[in-house]
Amino acid sequence: MEFISNIIYGLIYGAILGAVASGLTLIWGVMKVVNLAHGHLAVLGAFLAVIFYKYTPITIDPSLSPIIAFIIGALFGIFFYYTSLHVIVGKAETMTLKVEMSSLLSTFGFGVALYGLLYYGSAQGWYLQFEGLTGWTIQVGGKPYFEILGVSIQYSWLVGLFYAVILIALVELFLRKTVWGLAIRAVAQDSRAVALTGYDPVKVKLLTTVLSTAMALSAGAIFTLYIQNGINPDLEHFLAPLSFVIVVLGGLGSVIGTFIGGLIIGLAYGITMALTGTQAIALSVSFVILVVILLVKPQGLFGR
Amino acid sequence: MTYVLELEKLESGYGETQVLFGVNLKARKGQITALLGSNGAGKSTTLWTIMGIVKPWGGKILFNGEDVTMLPPYKKVNIGMTLVPEGRRLWPQLTVEEHLIMAASIPRSKERAQEILEMVYQLFPRLKERRNQLAGTLSGGEQQMLAIARGLMLNPVLFMLDEPSLGLAPKLVQEIAETISKLRDEWKLTVLLVEQNIHMSMQIADYAYIIENGRIVLEGTVDELKENPMVKKAYLGL
């Protein structure tokens, strides 16, 4: 029974990791900006969730924080674009490897700055955690969890799962069903042709960055619904590599692939936990899975 | 005679290098105007400058009598100026239909989108057959069709083509030439055709300019130019 519990926890966890990676799918998989700040942006979202709950005059329930983090993330995305990306990608006609590498460096710089800021904040005594705040969890009938077939599941995890699925469905719809989604895909392939087709390429790139940043922050807030304590800047060291693994695993630019990739990694965590009783080597296991899948299918599960 | 496009002493270039030295050119409404010249004469630069992708250094660009010299490219598209660029510049990872949808979704063509789409598919039945295929997998001729189709979906008034015959087999060049004639005769578009292929252009154009080293050196109706001794010698090989 414990094994089954671990599998189910792993799947919920995986869906949430997929949500964390979905913003990266958009900016890296589709627009070809290697956004090394992605993990830091997610951590910022997690911080915001705690700040809203703990440090604002009006307490905002964490179950609403993904929405607020999304809005703040969108504004922050404008700042992120004009400080780190505009000079590099704004005028780029096609996202060549050279442009990709430059974007890697500039977003790395932005990420380090953000990390420093969050770290400074933590050192100042706002080491942020939900510890001792068990009261916030969503309770139904006086209990924070429910049991089904002997597996107990927290309500807050369900809320997190709900948001994760919504977020991923949102990007998929945006990319497949809207013209702006088409424009984003086109702009990475030939941005001059996008201008000749009546769209402002800079606007398209800005929009992509804004959306991706909003998703990163929102996913960070969703993540707090799952882990609930120990939110600190170093979370990035875990979220960023996993996001990259998930995006590559699913296939660059495939949103559904990202979701499935997330579930696979979540399962790896669940099974590792069930077999070894600790998650210590789960990150390594994730990379082994990545290598194996890339050997069999170099373009990723859903890549074309 | 009304002019859809008028260039007055247009100058531009790249970095420190000046390419155009005061180009004067007019595109006559409902006609095909050809801009001819050899490699490096400034033909493509003229088109890039008209569209605003290359910023003009001096001179004026008038579209339907209005000064549009400094408008950014995407705004020019939205008032009816369309360029089918050299080398097609398609998006290889997008399908044929996605190319057309994207073009048809700009404010200018939204309302007429369905109507134009049907006309485009009628003009190029082959594209309809291949509408779900990625552009990168099309043959050269089909890619040129798609590039023209994408331009047509923008609901243009002025249709500019940069070397549409480049890299195509003679039979396909003939097909493209017929298509361009149709755009004038049936679609009632004003066409500005830039070409190295003088024979093909002379066959369909009404009026032509010859550009050398960034300057217009000769202009006239096609019939006049065909009789011009310099054109005969340098371009027609007679």
Side-chain angles (χ1 to χ4, degrees), chain B residues 32 148 164-165 168 170-185 193 195 197 199-201 203-205:
Chain B
I32 298 178
I148 293 176
S165 75
L168 297 183
K171 186 169 165 280
L172 291 174
V173 172
Q174 203 49 44
E175 274 180 31
I176 293 284
E178 279 161 24
T179 304
I180 297 171
S181 307
K182 266 191 204 164
L183 296 183
R184 170 191 55 196
D185 302 336
L193 174 66
E195 263 298 344
N197 188 331
H199 282 283
M200 179 267 236
S201 317
Q203 183 195 329
I204 57 173

Side-chain angles (χ1 to χ4, degrees), chain A residues 93 179 182-183 185-186 189-190 192-200 304, chain B residues 48 53 74 77-78 85 89 91-94 98 102-103 105-106 150 154:
Chain A
E93 273 184 29
V179 177
L182 273 181
R185 285 156 64 203
Q189 296 171 42
D190 192 331
R192 190 177 272 192
V194 171
L196 288 178
T197 314
Y199 298 79
D200 182 0
R304 53 177 185 187
Chain B
W48 290 128
I53 299 247
Y74 63 96
V77 173
N78 270 298
R89 302 197 81 130
W91 303 294
Q93 299 292 323
L94 260 54
E98 282 171 335
M102 216 179 119
S105 304
I106 64 166
R150 178 176 65 184
L154 298 168

Side-chain angles (χ1 to χ4, degrees), chain A residues 132-176:
Chain A
L133 292 173
T134 46
W136 72 269
T137 45
I138 297 134
Q139 301 204 0
V140 177
K143 278 204 299 191
Y145 60 87
F146 65 95
E147 273 186 40
I148 183 163
L149 300 170
V151 180
S152 68
I153 296 173
Q154 291 195 29
Y155 287 111
S156 66
W157 289 7
L158 279 191
V159 176
L161 179 66
F162 168 76
Y163 273 117
V165 172
I166 293 278
L167 200 62
I168 287 173
L170 202 83
V171 216
E172 175 68 9
L173 281 178
F174 180 80
L175 276 181
R176 297 280 150 220

